Amino acid sequence: MSRGEFVYEGKAKRIYRTDEAGVFWMEFKDDATAMNGLKRGTIGDKGVVNAEVTRRVFQHLEANGVPTHLRGQVGERDLLVDGLEMLKLEVVMRNIAAGSLVKRLGLEEGRAFREPICELYLKDDDLGDPLINDDHALALGLASQAEIDQVKALGRRVNALLQGYFAAADLVLVDFKLEFGRRAGEIVLGDEVTPDTCRLWDRETRRKLDKDRFRQDLGGVEEAYQEVLRRLVAAHA
Ligand code: UDP
């Protein structure tokens, strides 16, 4: 399989065609952004870590019945994926209070919820990805009610699976973001699952091992990403 024509560049990835119709080459960049693009930088070898973490996580999800776009890995920072018709939605799952929710609801960071929280956001950079509900998603034609029900159910299932997957590496899955698309009428998990899109804390010390180190200028950003990959490799040989 070879890399073909360039298609699209996002904040963290570049997409190319391949010689197989409908299959795309996803290159993970070291570029990092936060605060809706206001803060920019690079995190050394982030792309390598994120490609490897996404491949491992998506293989684990597939093995447990969650359909994903992953086809395979073709380079240290390159995955092959099925092209999906992406929903203009982000699904966020939360187990512990952190980030925007702490501000919105006036919570103390680190408070564990009795039940996981599932939220929908409109994918729109100009609007800063606002929080929406099912009715907004339906009214805007982003998805059918059946599809909304499905992405929420998949969000909860992925959360349950990944809590265990990360716990085996002594990592607490605080919250994370998923993106879904359609493939031949079926809802499929796309995009990535990485320390860019998850909050992961050390079980013992609660040290942040994710993009919050970059967002909040905590230092040790590269080391945190490497640590997550190292632990996952050790826990899931
Ligand atoms: N997240 C993401 N992309 C976004 C917004 C959020 O990957 O555009 C992830 C983020 O890393 C965190 C979770 O979703 O793990 C919840 O993020 P939150 O709503 O707290 O927003 P933030 O505080 O990151 O702006």
Side-chain angles (χ1 to χ4, degrees), residues 56 165-170 229-237:
R56 286 170 172 273
Y165 187 78
F166 285 114
D170 283 332
L229 177 57
R230 192 190 62 72
R231 289 194 195 189
L232 290 179
V233 170
H236 305 282

Side-chain angles (χ1 to χ4, degrees), residues 90 92 94 98-101 119 121 129 175-177 196-199 212 215:
E90 296 189 349
V92 168
R94 303 179 182 274
S100 65
L101 194 68
E119 298 174 335
Y121 291 85
D129 295 347
D175 58 28
F176 62 97
K177 182 263 302 177
D196 274 3
T197 64
C198 302
R199 287 195 171 92
D212 272 351
R215 293 188 188 102

Side-chain angles (χ1 to χ4, degrees), residues 52-144:
E52 184 76 18
V53 170
T54 296
R55 179 183 61 79
R56 286 170 172 273
V57 166
F58 278 34
Q59 279 178 344
H60 179 69
L61 294 174
E62 285 275 359
N64 287 279
V66 176
T68 79
H69 68 165
L70 180 70
R71 284 285 192 109
Q73 185 158 8
V74 280
E76 62 175 7
R77 57 173 71 236
D78 309 277
L79 301 183
L80 282 186
V81 299
D82 286 327
L84 304 180
E85 185 195 336
M86 295 305 290
L87 304 183
K88 253 184 84 176
L89 279 177
E90 296 189 349
V91 178
V92 168
M93 293 299 309
R94 303 179 182 274
N95 300 305
I96 294 176
S100 65
L101 194 68
V102 162
K103 288 188 202 135
R104 187 167 3 108
L105 298 186
L107 304 173
E108 191 181 333
E109 184 184 72
R111 167 180 166 170
F113 299 124
R114 292 183 189 188
E115 297 293 336
I117 296 170
C118 179
E119 298 174 335
L120 300 178
Y121 291 85
L122 173 65
K123 234 180 112 64
D124 187 322
D125 281 342
D126 293 341
L127 297 176
D129 295 347
L131 179 70
I132 60 170
N133 66 21
D134 290 31
D135 282 357
H136 294 109
L138 268 178
L140 297 178
L142 305 182
S144 69

